[in-house]
Amino acid sequence: MRKLLLTLFTLTAMISNARSDAAAQSRRQRAERADLLVLGGTVVTMDEGRRILHDAGIAIKDGRIVAIDTRVAIRSKYSALQTINAQGKLIVPGLINGHTHIPMTLFRGLADDLDLQEWLTKYIFPAEAKNVSEEFVRVGTRLGLAEMIRGGTTTYCDMYYFEDAIADETAKAGVRGVLGETIIDFPVADNKTNAEAMAYVERFVRHWKGHELIVAAIAPHAPYTVSEEHLKAARAFSDRTGAPIVTHISETKREVDDSVKAKGASPVAYLERIGFLNDRVIAAHMVWPQDGETNILKQRGVGIVHNPQSNMKLASGVSPVPRMMAEGLFVGLGTDGAASNNDLNMWEEMDTAAKLHKVFTGDPKVLSAQQAFELATIRGAQALHLEKEIGSLEVSKRADLLIIERDSLNQIPLYNVYSDLVYATKSNDVHTVIINGRVVMRNRRLLTLNESAIKRSARVFRERIAKSLSLPTEP
Ligand SMILES: [Zn+2]
């Protein structure tokens, strides 16, 4: 009897196990496959309606966001090999650093407290002439990439030399970049003539065409360092290839005065006159647009990148950012190179932007925390002409996102998400970084870069640079 009962019990258990196995299997079959799920937490979408979703979930497949919904809905609809629990945390779009010169991290702190002309001509150009090589560029780029990932920057726009090596390092680290090879009218480390530079940029743009992380660009340095003929050639190149044009425009009052003297027009009016401006141009600074010029910039669809800390440090002036935003121009935010900032920290840049314009106009409402966050996300994407791909968390966009810790002392308690993000959150609060669907930092650990090796090689360059400029060997 006991044996019979045991057999019956075993049979019943087997049937019930089989039933639940079948149910699980059919659930798995019904579930759509994704590569990565982020479950729980509050999603700050930065979409058109600026929706903020609590206890949400995101499904990611082939580098793109395929669904955003409640955590429960995403969990029941999707299965994935990798799941990240973001409960209690914030999920925000990756930050966009709209203007930098990434290898200049190796010149961090080399020369400070000077105006732009003196800083450039007495220190930076000579230091570059003596030190910039492909190896220098690779080491400085890796240092900058590590700093940017730690700080939650997922896309950056760059202008430097050996930009193909920068693109190579950037792609290997899994970071997104709009990367411009410099065109400048004096011999530089990678190219000695304009013909050489144009041949380089031709190969460079062809090499990266269609890459999912890298947008290769042409970067005529500025209207005061590149001739009219060469600016026109850069524009023609962009027309032919579709490559963006990265440049500096109207950074200082002196640049405007010199331009009026030499060319009979301010930088924007001059560039308009020679047919340079279009909706592929990404113009850093724009501190001194003259009367009526913001209208030209708007009509031409020029992207503008505000660099408040660099402009403050070099005493270049205050760009009329609130007015340009109100007029519907595409304005983003950048750090500029680490030699004039001196870091690549977009949290500081957002905080500075919001506060600079308040103190400058005497109006605390002139640029809100939410607007400052827009500058580093969706508006930054517009300034780089990439708003269809990045800048907000929406279905079909690239999966570039950050998971932000909310348990740091500097974030407690919390009343308003944007205020928390712009005025209280620090780089250290970035917990996990996902770019193009790939986790590049998890729980503060860099997964694509070797931090100690990066520090070591950057310090070797510090010695070489100091020696080349006869600086003391100890700081
Ligand atoms: Zn710059």
Side-chain angles (χ1 to χ4, degrees):
M1 188 63 189
R2 253 183 72 192
K3 204 174 171 188
L4 185 68
L5 272 176
L6 204 66
T7 314
L8 266 173
F9 178 78
T10 314
L11 265 175
T12 322
M14 276 171 68
I15 290 165
S16 128
N17 274 348
R19 274 198 198 129
S20 70
D21 277 359
Q25 197 181 355
S26 96
R27 215 173 29 241
R28 269 200 300 277
Q29 278 165 354
R30 267 184 292 129
E32 287 184 36
R33 297 288 301 172
D35 299 327
L36 171 65
L37 303 182
V38 179
L39 296 176
T42 297
V43 175
V44 182
T45 63
M46 301 312 285
D47 66 3
E48 191 76 29
R50 302 289 186 262
R51 287 179 310 149
I52 293 176
L53 314 169
H54 300 284
D55 198 19
I58 299 178
I60 294 163
K61 192 174 195 292
D62 298 330
R64 292 185 186 271
I65 296 170
V66 290
I68 304 183
D69 207 326
T70 61
R71 176 178 54 85
V72 173
I74 293 292
R75 203 180 49 186
S76 65
K77 192 171 174 202
Y78 289 91
S79 70
L81 287 176
Q82 218 189 148
T83 297
I84 295 178
N85 178 3
Q87 268 176 341
K89 298 187 171 63
L90 278 182
I91 300 147
V92 305
L95 304 181
I96 299 169
N97 185 347
H99 181 66
T100 192
H101 311 277
I102 192 169
M104 293 184 84
T105 43
L106 293 178
F107 293 140
R108 195 194 312 267
L110 178 69
D112 297 306
D113 311 326
L114 299 165
D115 70 47
L116 178 70
Q117 281 312 313
E118 197 181 356
W119 177 78
L120 264 183
T121 54
K122 281 200 188 152
Y123 296 91
I124 296 303
F125 287 154
E128 287 183 331
K130 285 180 180 150
N131 292 285
V132 175
S133 63
E134 184 175 328
E135 191 199 357
F136 169 100
V137 160
R138 285 186 183 272
V139 170
T141 298
R142 288 199 289 268
L143 177 61
L145 287 167
E147 184 184 354
M148 287 200 291
I149 294 174
R150 281 217 171 283
T153 292
T154 56
T155 297
Y156 74 108
C157 180
D158 196 70
M159 170 200 288
Y160 211 63
Y161 311 107
F162 297 102
E163 202 70 34
D164 193 59
I166 296 176
D168 184 47
E169 295 294 338
T170 304
K172 280 197 263 186
V175 174
R176 194 179 302 287
V178 177
L179 309 176
E181 167 66 17
T182 300
I183 304 291
I184 197 160
D185 283 356
F186 52 80
V188 288
D190 54 350
N191 296 298
K192 304 302 169 207
T193 63
N194 181 260
E196 273 180 50
M198 292 303 285
Y200 182 107
V201 84
E202 184 88 44
R203 289 192 303 274
F204 172 53
V205 167
R206 200 179 322 126
H207 179 186
W208 294 98
K209 199 170 176 57
H211 193 276
E212 52 185 12
L213 290 171
I214 306 297
V215 179
I218 186 166
H221 175 265
Y224 60 91
T225 46
V226 183
S227 70
E228 178 175 336
E229 183 198 345
H230 294 161
L231 288 169
K232 284 178 171 169
R235 165 68 198 258
F237 173 83
S238 165
D239 286 346
R240 182 162 55 79
T241 59
I245 304 174
V246 179
T247 190
H248 300 101
I249 306 179
S250 247
E251 182 170 358
T252 62
K253 181 72 170 47
R254 179 173 160 186
E255 178 189 338
V256 175
D257 294 344
D258 288 353
S259 177
V260 169
K261 253 183 251 159
K263 302 174 182 113
S266 68
V268 174
Y270 160 70
L271 292 170
E272 170 72 352
R273 189 176 76 203
I274 67 166
F276 179 81
L277 302 173
N278 72 0
D279 60 4
R280 287 187 302 275
V281 171
I282 301 162
H285 302 304
M286 202 56 70
V287 177
W288 298 94
Q290 304 295 293
D291 284 348
E293 289 185 348
T294 52
N295 203 24
I296 295 173
L297 297 166
K298 187 182 175 181
Q299 277 173 7
R300 296 290 170 221
V302 172
I304 290 156
V305 181
H306 179 37
N307 300 272
Q309 289 199 342
S310 169
N311 295 160
M312 289 164 76
K313 187 155 175 278
L314 295 160
S316 300
V318 180
S319 171
V321 164
R323 178 163 65 83
M324 292 195 288
M325 287 167 75
E327 289 175 9
L329 275 69
F330 303 134
V331 188
L333 192 64
T335 58
D336 210 346
S340 61
N341 185 301
N342 291 358
D343 56 35
L344 306 177
N345 186 326
M346 288 297 290
W347 301 96
E348 281 187 12
E349 219 64 39
M350 286 189 276
D351 181 81
T352 304
K355 290 172 183 167
L356 169 64
H357 294 284
K358 294 179 201 312
V359 73
F360 185 63
T361 58
D363 177 5
K365 296 178 181 168
V366 75
L367 208 153
S368 68
Q370 181 181 325
Q371 286 174 313
F373 197 66
E374 288 170 358
L375 288 173
T377 55
I378 188 62
R379 287 179 186 267
Q382 289 170 339
L384 300 190
H385 314 296
L386 284 176
E387 71 279 7
K388 289 195 179 78
E389 293 281 56
I390 56 170
S392 59
L393 301 180
E394 294 180 72
V395 170
S396 89
K397 279 200 175 182
R398 297 283 183 180
D400 293 4
L401 51 102
L402 317 178
I403 301 175
I404 308 286
E405 194 65 70
R406 295 181 94 183
D407 199 34
S408 308
L409 291 171
N410 51 284
Q411 296 173 307
I412 295 171
L414 173 81
Y415 300 98
N416 176 288
V417 162
Y418 296 114
S419 154
D420 180 53
L421 285 168
V422 171
Y423 299 132
T425 296
K426 310 293 170 203
S427 271
N428 282 345
D429 302 321
V430 179
H431 180 272
T432 291
V433 178
I434 298 166
I435 306 176
N436 210 45
R438 178 184 185 191
V439 184
V440 296
M441 182 172 83
R442 186 197 285 268
N443 201 3
R444 302 274 314 143
R445 201 164 71 81
L446 295 177
L447 302 180
T448 58
L449 290 163
N450 180 337
E451 197 165 330
S452 49
I454 286 169
K455 288 180 183 170
R456 233 184 354 262
S457 42
R459 287 184 177 124
V460 170
F461 264 97
R462 195 255 169 227
E463 295 313 305
R464 286 192 213 169
I465 293 162
K467 212 169 158 193
S468 80
L469 299 171
S470 307
L471 299 177
T473 45
E474 290 300 320

